[in-house]
Structures are given as structure tokens and as C-alpha cells.
Amino acid sequence: MNMYQPTERNEAGQIGRSQARVEDAALLRGLGRYADDMATPPGTLHAAIVRSPHAHARIISVNASPALAMKGVHAVLTGEDVKRWANPFPVGVRAPMEHWCLAVDKARYVGEPVCVVIADDRYLAEDALDAIQVEYEPLPPIIDPEAATQEEAPVLHEAVGSNVVNERNFRYGDPERAFEEAPHRVSIKVHYPRNSCTPIECYVVLGHYQAATGTYDVLSNFQGPYALHSVMARALNVAGNRLRLRTPPDSGGSFGIKQGVFPYVVLMGLASRKVGAPVKWVEDRLEHLQASSSATNRVCEIQAAVESDGRVTALHYDQIDDCGGYLRAPEPATFYRMHGNLSGAYAIRNLSVRNRVVLTNKVPSGLNRGFGGGQVYFALERLMHEVAVQLGLDPLQVIRRNLVPAGVFPYRAAAGALLDSGDYPATVDLAIREGGLDELLRRQKQARAEGRLYGIGYTAVVEPSISNMGYITTAMTPEERRKSGPKNGAVSTATVSVDPLGGVTVHISSTPQGQGHQTVVAQIVAEVLGVALGSINVNVELDTGKDAWSIASGNYSSRFAGAVAGSVYNAAVKIRERMAGIAAAMWDVPADQVRFAGGKVFVEDGPSQAFHRIAGSTHWSPGLLPENEEGGLRETAFWTPPQLTAPDDNDCINSSLCYGFIFDYCGVEIDRITGQVHIDRYVTCHDAGRILNPMLVDGQIRGGFTQALGVALMEEFAYGDDGSFLSGTFADYLVPTAPEAVEPVILHMETPSPFTPLGSKGVGEGNNMSTPVCIANAVADALGRSDIKLPMTPSRVRSMIGIDEPPPPEGVVSEAPRVAGGSALQAQDSVEIPAPPQQVFDALLDPETLQSIIPGCHALELESENHYRADVTVGVGMIRARFAARVGLTDLDPPHSLRLSGSGNSPMGSATGSAKVTFVELDNGHTRLEYAYDAAVSGKVAAVGGRMLQSASKVIIGQIFTRLAQRLTGKPVKTSPWQRLLALLGLGGAK
């Protein structure tokens, strides 16, 4: 069935026009209304969350009494409350794991919520976190997904009995025969890392439990999909109509990650229930990076059966997806969103797949721009490049020989995807011709002749959009699916109404985060109804208590242009048809002769009336309307495409409705000294069907491309061996900023989709799928290496070049750390003290002196000879932690040396360290005190990142000995400008 019918363009000519965004006037003036801007009900309290500093630990006890004794603290929500009022979240696979909104038995990742403090304001709530006493029993963590599959690995969920919570094997065609007959086999193993989205606005939730009705009314910047509304309602143990979820008018970005706010929706609803008042929580950046969500990291071994000319006849995938501490809905979506088109843009008919979902002690994964696509294409397109290398062929020719040919669309892929439209070879030709590939090849030849490292990479991908709500059930066996009932389709809704004065209002069941949906919706309605663009009001706030929506509603999987905009068009056409019928009856003409343009309803060379007069008649004089016209102009369109069927018994699934095509190529030069990858030119050519607004489409492509630069070159969630999260600030989790942005050459081809009302497909995610592997292929070409790993940071590229790192700067020890932990810190330094060694040595053994020189020490209590219990507050950047510490002086060799050791625990994490201190007598009778230390921190403290921690630890340790000198002499000791700057910035010491 061909859903798309080319529309007759009227004078407005809005669809397909580059129209500046109507939303921007408010946003640029600071008049946007984001979640934190929305009014709060009287009596609203504020929440802060106690999070686990351990990656894997049993929770022995939670003592909230000290916090509850603080003035202004109203309550502490604990795991016991959660178990009394709520349920675990439903899990998408048949595994007996329990995921609650709070850790009720064990913490399974650093940052997992353990309890919630509710106070008069956020400041009090944050202060009260330090007073919560949680006793943990640390357990061995598991971080590596491959190691997590082994029988001897620590098990996260004892009821499951394994960290492999789902395994499925698939077979399409006859892959065994294809591999047996192929003259060549090419394989490659790739690791796709964890990365995230980092929107400007983090999570915000305002929960209000209304005891009279048992309803949870929650405002949140949740993006959908609203399939999770049912998940949240079941977790709250209420019927769906007892969870009213509302979204604000504006959102400061998401790119998928705000789907992950849903556990906090449940959490703040329960917090409100406990205190009997509304409760608001605003996430900070560290919480967001550490504990919100991330892309799923994947290990994939992929193998191809290949003919001598480079034609691939079969593929075998062996994939492990690391979903973190819990399988959180909608996971394992990262596997199965792409399942139907695992063969990508290629006509490969034989396919075998092994999928394993593994849990590790990391934050649970979820939606991330292009989710699933980057993981699939990094493996597939690296493989296609390797096929060319191993067979001595041109990578471009290998791509061409394997593309789905022109003239066969709709094309059914081996695993079930119905590729709706396109001309892939023609798109490649367009990109090569208009993008200047010949010039790049000449640059490459010249660069290599001059001894420079220059490579060219290619990639061809299909970009899925409008997800089939049944794709996730491919994780189940056919027998399990039959028991649970079929799931399929993708309902989209939109409402168009016209008021008595002719004003047009549109409501969509989508929640945009800056894409310009209001603009495109207004363009569509303006063209269909022939009214001015500025006269249309588009409402994007969603209220599940009163608005039309379905489980597929929300803003994800690039479904706006094809599904939401198509529903808007259908609703507007219904309004137009009704108004045409009214005018036709009024003028006694056939309805198909009635036209809409210029704010008028008219017949060519015939009668005419203003749009508002015809529309107003449905309100002011309904009694005069023609028969079968009910009056009042309001139409809601529900639309779901019939092509999105449930997976069949052979596990074939059309996992998305539309499939755009992207062909990218780029030239990169690598600096032989620094290892920096410089993008000389990047060409990206898209076929996204009919383009509704070229300006916005190019903006989406630029945004996706820039985000993909981060994935390719700099962004990675790093974890220590103990599961500590090491990327909690933008000092260590690097994202592209304006200087790193590159302007790509953007090209377009349009082959309308036959399956959507307007012929449009999605375009917002594609470069996050294609760009990382395109750059990786270019780097592989430049270096002649196959072991390319993301992100391609300068240090990693230098290692691939074979350049030895320079010796460490003075004061930095390079040997392996002696202290195990999440973030290992080492350094050495010295200070001159105007006193003899024996006096300095004795001073360190004096408890009063020791307390005075330890930064942030509130109290020091002797436990045994030279061993103390201490109460110490230490600040690192934004993190201030109060540690219950142990301090000891050992290995005493007076007056030559000793060892100063310390360890401590706090709600923010743990720390341990040891410093070897040597006393060298100088000619002037002074002492040069030399110290070399190893330290390690974990939990929230470690999350500030290695760069800041290394600097802070040097300042903190240095303060001990400079204070010692001051105490002995009564005079300040000069420190370096660098140390003074760090201290000024708060990188160390008491707060």
C-alpha cells in the first residue's frame, strides 16, 4: 500500500520550505519555560539523593536518625518504604531480577540511589546527606563484559544465577553453506564504548501524591516513549489512570537520555507520598554523568563469507551488550531496534546471530542518539573496510558491489526489515560527484608522497525511523511471545482544533527537545488550511491525564517527520474536508472545488469567505450546518502503519517503518607527533525521503555529526577496576565544543517513503551511526591498522603509530600503583624545613601537631601508639566529603624516614593512601623533607576525574608538609603559583 500521495501545493507553499524556527524568539530572549522554571505548588519540599559509593555492595543498614534530627529535614525515604508501597520495575526478558527505584538489598553500581532526604530546601537536603549513616558490605565488582559471562565472575543478581540475563541465537537463509562455499573468510572484533548525551538541562522531577484519589501527579522533562508510563504505573502499584505525567513546554536537550528519568519519576512520587507534600528534585551534572544512563557498550566479533571480488554472501555476529547493573526498560532495545536490518545497506541474504545481554557494575544503559545503530555499524562497516584490505580491493568498490541495487524497493532484508525506498547506488554517485572525492584522493596521494599520514574512510548505512513497538519482543522466543500476546505497530496522534474566531491550535503527542517541531507542524497546517504561519499555535506539552496519546508517543527513534508530522497532516486534512463540506453546502458547489489559501476559503472564480467566518459557523450557528456535520472543529488523528507487524515464528521483524540511506566519506590527516586526528573534509549524503524543512534537516545533521565527533574522538565513560566512575566532570569526559566542531559537506537525495503520509523519513540520528565508523575507517586507512578502538584520542592514536610516550613530568611517579582502587594517584615532591631532621621527625609523631597539619581535620583521637581515628573534611572541586578516617605512622626509622598512611569512608566514597617520608639533613642544618605517595579514591569523589584528582591530591599532600614547616617555624612557607591557583579553585583542603 502506498500511503504517500504527493500533495497539491497551494499559494502558501510551506511544506519543503526553509522556515526559521518559530520557537526561537522566546528561547533567545531567555523566556523559555523549562522544567525548573515551572511553578511549584505551595508547600513544595526538595529532595537530595544518597547514592552508593560502591559499585557492588550489600546494604547492611541505613540509619537516618542523625539527618532527621536536623532542623528543616522532614523525612528520609528508604528501601523499606519502597518495598511497602511499590513494586520492582517490569523487566523486558524472562529473568528473575528485581530493579527497584532504590537499592533495597544491594548496590550494583556507583551512584545507585540508596535513600532520599526530603527537606525545606535543596541546601538543607544536600547538607543532610552527610548525616545519613549507611553500612555496606563491599562485594567483588565485575566491570568487563566478557569476563562477566564467565562462571567464576561475581554475580550481580543471585536469583538469576548468572550475569548473562538473556541469550538468543538467530539464523536467516543458509549461512553455514555460504561460509562453507566462500573462498574467503574475513573477521574482526570490535569494542564499542560507553558514551552519553550531556544535554544542557539535566533531569527534573516534581512529584505530588494526592492522597484523596491515590493519584501520582508528576511533572518531568521525560521525553518518552510513553510505553514506560505503564512501567511506572506498575512500579507505583497503581492503575494507569492514577499516574498523571506532564511535561513542560521546553526541554534543554535530551538526545535519548531523558527517557532514563523514569525511575526518578517513581522515586519522587513515593517521596511525596511519604511526606504528604509535593517534592521537587533537580539533578546536578555529576549525578547525571555518574548515574543517569549511557549508551550500551558492546563487544562484537563479526565474520563475513566473501567472494574474490569482495561480494559478501553471509555474516555472522557474536554480540555481547553490557547493560550495566540492571536490565532497565526499554533494554535490550539496543540489540533489537536494529535487528531487522543487521545487513545494513547491503544485499546479504545469509545471516547468523548470537546475542548475549550481560550485566556489570555500571550505570544501567538506555537510549542514546542513534541507539543500536552506532554499535551495529561500527562492527559492520569496519568489517567491510577489512574485507577490502585483506582482498586488496578498493573499499569504495566493496561497498558498491554489496549495496541493495536500485529498482528493488520495497526490499525485504534477510532478518525482516522492509527497506521502504531509495536508490543507494545513485546516492553514492551523487556524494562522490558533488562532495569532491577526486580532490580528496589527490590530497591523499600528495600527503603520502610527503610522508604524512592521510587516510580516507567510507561508510554506507541505513537509518531506521519510527520503531515498531513489537521489536523488543524479539528478545523472547516465539513460544514466550505467543504466551504474552503479540505486540506491533507505532501509533502516533495529533489534534487540530479551530476556535470560534478562526484561531488554529495543534497538539502533538511528542515532546521535542529543540528540534523545531512547532515550526514544522505550523508549516504543515498552514499549507493544508491556507492560513498564515504565525496564526497557528502549536502545543507540545503532554498531559497523560487529558491529552490523546499512546504507548508509542514521545520523541525518540526519529519518528517526528514520518509519524507525528504525518498525523498532523491527517488531522488537518480532516478539518479541511469538513470546512470544505460546509462551504460547499453554503454555496451549492461540489466540495472538491473548494480551495484554501491566503486566509480565505473560496471557489476559483466563485464565492469566497474569510477562513474564520467558515470556521466560526461551526461554533456560532451549528444549527445551520449541513446534515452529518456535528459542529465544533476539532479532529484527532490516530495513525499506525500496517507494515509494522509482530515478529513471526522465524524471528523475522520489520523493526522500523522507514529506512533512510546515508553515504559518508572523509579524509583525515594524523599528526605524527601528537596523534591528533584532523578532519580534512567530511561529506555526508542523506536520503531521508521528502524533506519538510531543509534548514531544520541540515541543523539536525550538523548536531548529530558534531555529537558523533565526540563519540569518535574523545567521549568515553571510564570505570576503575573497582567500578568507580572516573568521568564525572567535563574535565575528564570531554565533549566537542565550538573549536572542535567541523562543518561537514551536506548533500541530499529525496526518494519519498511510500509508507508515511508525507513521504518523510527520520534524519536526526543518522550521523551518530555513520560518522564514528567513517572516521575510524579513515584512521585505519592512514595507519594501516585494523585494531581501531573508540574514542580515537591522541594518546591512543600515538600508541597505534608506535610512538613511545615521553617520560613523566618531574614530580609524577610512573611505576604501577601500589594502592588498588578506582582512581590511582601518585606523585612525589619535597619541601625545605628550617629545622634539623630529628626535630621534624619528632613533630610528626606529636598528636597535636599531626591534627593541626592534616587539612580539614576536625578531631584526632589516639587508638594505639602512632595510630589515630580522625574526622576529616576534604574538598575536591565541587565535591566535599567528610571522612571517618584512620591515620597511622609506621616503618619508623628516626630521624631518617617513616610512612604516613591513611584511609577513610564517607557517603561520597572511600579513600586510601600511603606516603613514604624521608628526612635529609642539609648543609645549613635544615631538613629537606621528601615524600612519594600512592593514593586511591572511589565513589563520588573519584568521579571528578583523574586530571582534577591528580592536581588536588598533590595540593592536599603538599599542604600537610608545608603546614608542618609553618608550625615548626611560625612562618609561612612559599608555595608555587600553580599550587596557590589550585587551592584558590578549591582543588584540595577543607571546605
Side-chain angles (χ1 to χ4, degrees):
M1 181 183 71
N2 192 338
M3 171 67 66
Y4 168 63
Q5 299 293 332
T7 55
E8 178 182 343
R9 297 178 63 85
N10 63 25
E11 292 178 12
Q14 291 287 348
I15 300 177
R17 171 184 169 191
S18 286
Q19 166 66 48
R21 302 192 335 166
V22 300
E23 303 94 324
D24 287 350
L27 300 180
L28 294 174
R29 296 171 60 198
L31 300 177
R33 291 182 296 150
Y34 298 91
D36 197 28
D37 298 321
M38 305 302 285
T40 56
T44 295
L45 302 176
H46 297 263
I49 299 173
V50 174
R51 298 178 181 273
S52 170
H54 302 285
H56 196 196
R58 205 172 307 280
I59 298 172
I60 305 302
S61 64
V62 177
N63 181 10
S65 299
L68 292 171
M70 298 173 65
K71 185 178 180 181
V73 175
H74 289 255
V76 176
L77 184 78
T78 67
E80 292 301 316
D81 300 316
V82 168
K83 287 195 289 185
R84 181 168 63 254
W85 290 325
N87 296 314
F89 292 107
V91 180
V93 300
R94 303 298 185 191
M97 76 176 70
E98 289 189 350
H99 176 207
W100 301 79
C101 58
L102 284 179
V104 300
D105 57 348
K106 290 203 308 184
R108 294 178 172 88
Y109 61 94
V110 170
E112 181 172 4
V114 175
C115 57
V116 180
V117 176
I118 306 137
D120 284 338
D121 56 50
R122 181 175 177 181
Y123 304 98
L124 288 171
E126 293 278 354
D127 288 345
L129 294 182
D130 286 341
I132 302 290
Q133 298 171 356
V134 184
E135 183 181 357
Y136 297 95
E137 177 192 343
L139 300 170
I142 185 71
I143 301 302
D144 179 79
E146 293 182 278
T149 66
Q150 304 302 311
E151 289 186 4
E152 63 272 16
V155 175
L156 273 69
H157 296 266
E158 287 83 354
V160 179
S162 169
N163 294 321
V164 180
V165 295
N166 181 256
E167 179 171 356
R168 290 228 57 204
N169 291 272
F170 305 90
R171 180 180 177 276
Y172 306 98
D174 192 351
E176 297 84 3
R177 180 177 179 182
F179 273 102
E180 182 179 343
E181 295 178 350
H184 303 279
R185 291 190 181 194
V186 178
S187 63
I188 193 168
K189 182 176 182 178
V190 299
H191 296 78
Y192 189 88
R194 285 192 164 221
N195 46 63
S196 194
C197 308
T198 63
I200 292 175
E201 178 196 40
C202 296
Y203 294 168
V204 180
V205 180
L206 174 61
H208 189 187
Y209 177 70
Q210 298 170 342
T213 59
T215 298
Y216 292 92
D217 188 335
V218 183
L219 172 74
S220 173
N221 50 12
F222 180 58
Q223 73 169 75
Y226 282 78
L228 294 178
H229 184 277
S230 300
V231 170
M232 290 181 277
R234 289 175 64 183
L236 287 166
N237 199 25
V238 295
N241 63 357
R242 292 294 186 268
L243 171 59
R244 182 183 183 186
L245 192 59
R246 295 178 290 120
T247 63
D250 296 306
S251 175
S254 172
F255 319 105
I257 202 166
K258 282 180 181 164
Q259 168 270 343
V261 75
F262 79 89
Y264 296 101
V265 169
V266 173
L267 192 56
M268 293 307 138
L270 296 174
S272 172
R273 181 170 183 170
K274 180 150 191 179
V275 296
V279 175
K280 183 176 182 179
W281 169 71
V282 179
E283 182 186 54
D284 65 35
R285 180 63 62 185
L286 175 56
E287 288 181 295
H288 186 78
L289 285 168
Q290 181 188 58
S292 60
S293 186
S294 81
T296 306
N297 56 299
R298 176 176 295 176
V299 180
C300 179
E301 293 187 64
I302 183 171
Q303 187 176 43
V306 190
E307 299 293 330
S308 296
D309 64 354
R311 188 168 57 88
V312 176
T313 59
L315 292 172
H316 173 68
Y317 285 90
D318 188 348
Q319 305 182 112
I320 297 174
D321 262 13
D322 174 1
C323 289
Y326 301 90
L327 192 63
R328 186 171 68 185
E331 290 285 33
T334 304
F335 261 151
Y336 294 103
R337 180 204 179 191
M338 302 293 296
H339 189 80
N341 59 297
L342 284 172
S343 48
Y346 304 118
I348 302 171
R349 304 308 307 167
N350 304 294
L351 183 65
S352 61
V353 185
R354 181 190 187 193
N355 286 345
R356 283 176 287 172
V357 179
V358 176
L359 301 187
T360 64
N361 294 112
K362 301 173 187 170
V363 63
S365 60
L367 306 188
N368 195 57
R369 193 175 199 161
F371 73 101
Q375 290 87 338
V376 165
Y377 292 128
F378 190 71
L380 178 58
E381 294 301 301
R382 285 291 300 117
L383 177 70
M384 299 302 282
H385 179 89
E386 193 65 16
V387 166
V389 170
Q390 293 196 21
L391 273 63
L393 301 172
D394 179 358
L396 181 56
Q397 288 304 315
V398 171
I399 289 175
R400 286 183 184 275
R401 287 192 180 117
N402 287 284
L403 287 174
V404 174
V408 299
F409 292 90
Y411 173 83
R412 182 73 70 178
L418 186 60
L419 307 184
D420 50 323
S421 67
D423 187 336
Y424 298 173
T427 306
V428 171
D429 291 340
L430 172 67
I432 290 171
R433 183 177 63 253
E434 301 295 331
L437 177 60
D438 289 343
E439 181 184 355
L440 279 188
L441 291 169
R442 287 193 296 271
R443 291 186 189 181
Q444 181 188 48
K445 184 177 180 180
Q446 180 180 350
R448 291 185 171 181
E450 296 171 357
R452 291 183 281 134
L453 297 174
Y454 193 108
I456 294 177
Y458 307 89
T459 190
V461 309
V462 291
E463 178 181 2
S465 56
I466 311 178
S467 290
N468 183 346
M469 296 306 293
Y471 77 81
I472 192 63
T473 63
T474 314
M476 303 179 185
T477 65
E479 293 76 16
E480 290 170 337
R481 291 196 295 266
R482 281 192 289 271
K483 289 179 182 178
S484 64
K487 298 190 173 51
N488 65 300
V491 174
S492 180
T493 66
T495 300
V496 178
S497 58
V498 187
D499 64 38
L501 297 180
V504 181
T505 298
V506 188
H507 180 268
I508 56 175
S509 62
S510 185
T511 49
Q513 292 98 36
Q515 297 94 331
H517 290 182
Q518 291 98 313
T519 301
V520 176
V521 167
Q523 287 181 269
I524 293 167
V525 175
E527 179 155 322
V528 172
L529 299 183
V531 297
L533 190 77
S535 69
I536 299 167
N537 177 54
V538 182
N539 187 334
V540 296
E541 300 171 69
L542 188 62
D543 183 340
T544 62
K546 64 181 183 62
D547 296 326
W549 65 281
S550 181
I551 63 168
S553 297
N555 181 25
Y556 63 101
S557 298
S558 295
R559 69 190 312 270
F560 170 75
V564 177
S567 297
V568 169
Y569 175 78
N570 289 345
V573 167
K574 289 182 180 181
I575 294 288
R576 185 178 66 187
E577 289 173 347
R578 288 179 58 189
M579 291 183 65
I582 294 169
M586 184 185 306
W587 299 328
D588 195 22
V589 298
D592 61 7
Q593 293 185 12
V594 178
R595 299 287 182 266
F596 293 75
K600 296 182 179 297
V601 183
F602 61 94
V603 175
E604 295 286 355
D605 301 322
S608 170
Q609 276 203 13
F611 177 87
H612 73 271
R613 293 293 299 275
I614 300 294
S617 67
T618 65
H619 297 277
W620 300 109
S621 52
L624 300 179
L625 297 176
E627 189 177 355
N628 299 324
E629 173 53 57
E630 299 174 349
L633 284 176
R634 182 184 179 92
E635 290 290 344
T636 297
F638 287 84
W639 177 77
T640 189
Q643 292 82 10
L644 296 184
T645 57
D648 64 21
D649 284 350
N650 295 315
D651 292 311
C652 287
I653 174 68
N654 184 25
S655 37
S656 297
L657 178 68
C658 300
Y659 299 87
F661 177 66
I662 306 171
F663 177 69
D664 288 1
Y665 62 90
C666 66
V668 306
E669 184 169 350
I670 300 172
D671 190 301
R672 285 188 178 274
I673 305 300
T674 66
Q676 183 177 8
V677 178
H678 168 73
I679 299 174
D680 186 25
R681 178 185 299 173
Y682 196 100
V683 177
T684 182
C685 187
H686 291 248
D687 182 351
R690 186 185 183 192
I691 296 176
L692 303 181
N693 184 320
M695 180 187 298
L696 298 189
V697 165
D698 284 359
Q700 285 295 298
I701 292 171
R702 287 187 179 94
F705 171 70
T706 304
Q707 189 170 340
L709 290 180
V711 176
L713 301 176
M714 58 191 75
E715 296 185 36
E716 182 177 18
F717 272 12
Y719 288 84
D721 292 338
D722 66 344
S724 291
F725 182 63
L726 309 180
S727 306
T729 70
F730 288 140
D732 277 80
Y733 187 79
L734 303 179
V735 298
T737 59
E740 291 80 42
V742 175
E743 177 67 12
V745 177
I746 301 174
L747 302 170
H748 293 286
M749 185 169 182
E750 293 184 68
T751 55
S753 172
F755 300 154
T756 63
L758 290 169
S760 300
K761 310 179 186 184
V763 74
E765 301 175 275
N767 281 99
N768 235 32
M769 304 177 184
S770 63
T771 295
V773 69
C774 186
I775 297 174
N777 282 340
V779 171
D781 182 51
L783 299 180
R785 300 281 298 252
S786 63
D787 54 338
I788 306 299
K789 187 175 181 181
L790 299 179
M792 293 169 286
T793 60
S795 61
R796 186 167 283 165
V797 173
R798 280 172 57 86
S799 297
M800 289 189 289
I801 294 173
I803 299 175
D804 293 330
E805 287 297 319
E810 183 179 353
V812 177
V813 182
S814 60
E815 67 264 19
R818 295 181 292 275
V819 179
S823 186
L825 311 166
Q826 298 172 287
Q828 60 186 21
D829 208 339
S830 65
V831 60
E832 183 176 337
I833 300 177
Q838 187 66 55
Q839 183 181 352
V840 179
F841 188 97
D842 292 341
L844 265 178
L845 270 60
D846 174 48
E848 184 179 339
T849 299
L850 191 60
Q851 177 176 346
S852 69
I853 67 176
I854 296 175
C857 185
H858 307 292
L860 191 73
E861 179 182 344
L862 183 68
E863 287 190 312
S864 61
E865 186 177 6
N866 296 322
H867 288 79
Y868 305 89
R869 180 186 294 115
D871 180 10
V872 181
T873 296
V874 177
V876 180
M878 72 187 83
I879 304 303
R880 180 178 62 87
R882 191 160 187 167
F883 287 87
R886 294 286 195 278
V887 178
L889 296 162
T890 59
D891 300 342
L892 305 181
D893 181 16
H896 307 296
S897 65
L898 58 78
R899 182 170 295 278
L900 174 63
S901 302
S903 62
N905 291 287
S906 82
M908 300 295 182
S910 61
T912 183
S914 175
K916 174 72 172 182
V917 184
T918 304
F919 307 88
V920 179
E921 186 171 3
L922 303 177
D923 292 340
N924 59 2
H926 294 180
T927 300
R928 185 173 69 244
L929 187 151
E930 300 175 346
Y931 57 92
Y933 68 87
D934 294 87
V937 296
S938 65
K940 193 172 184 179
V941 179
V944 301
R947 291 176 176 85
M948 191 178 291
L949 279 172
Q950 187 69 52
S951 300
S953 65
K954 188 169 184 177
V955 171
I956 294 169
I957 300 297
Q959 283 178 352
I960 293 176
F961 301 110
T962 56
R963 289 184 178 191
L964 175 61
Q966 291 174 15
R967 183 167 179 88
L968 287 173
T969 64
K971 299 177 182 179
V973 175
K974 292 183 179 179
T975 57
S976 70
W978 176 240
Q979 286 178 310
R980 292 195 296 274
L981 176 61
L982 291 172
L984 183 64
L985 293 174
L987 301 184
K991 295 288 179 182

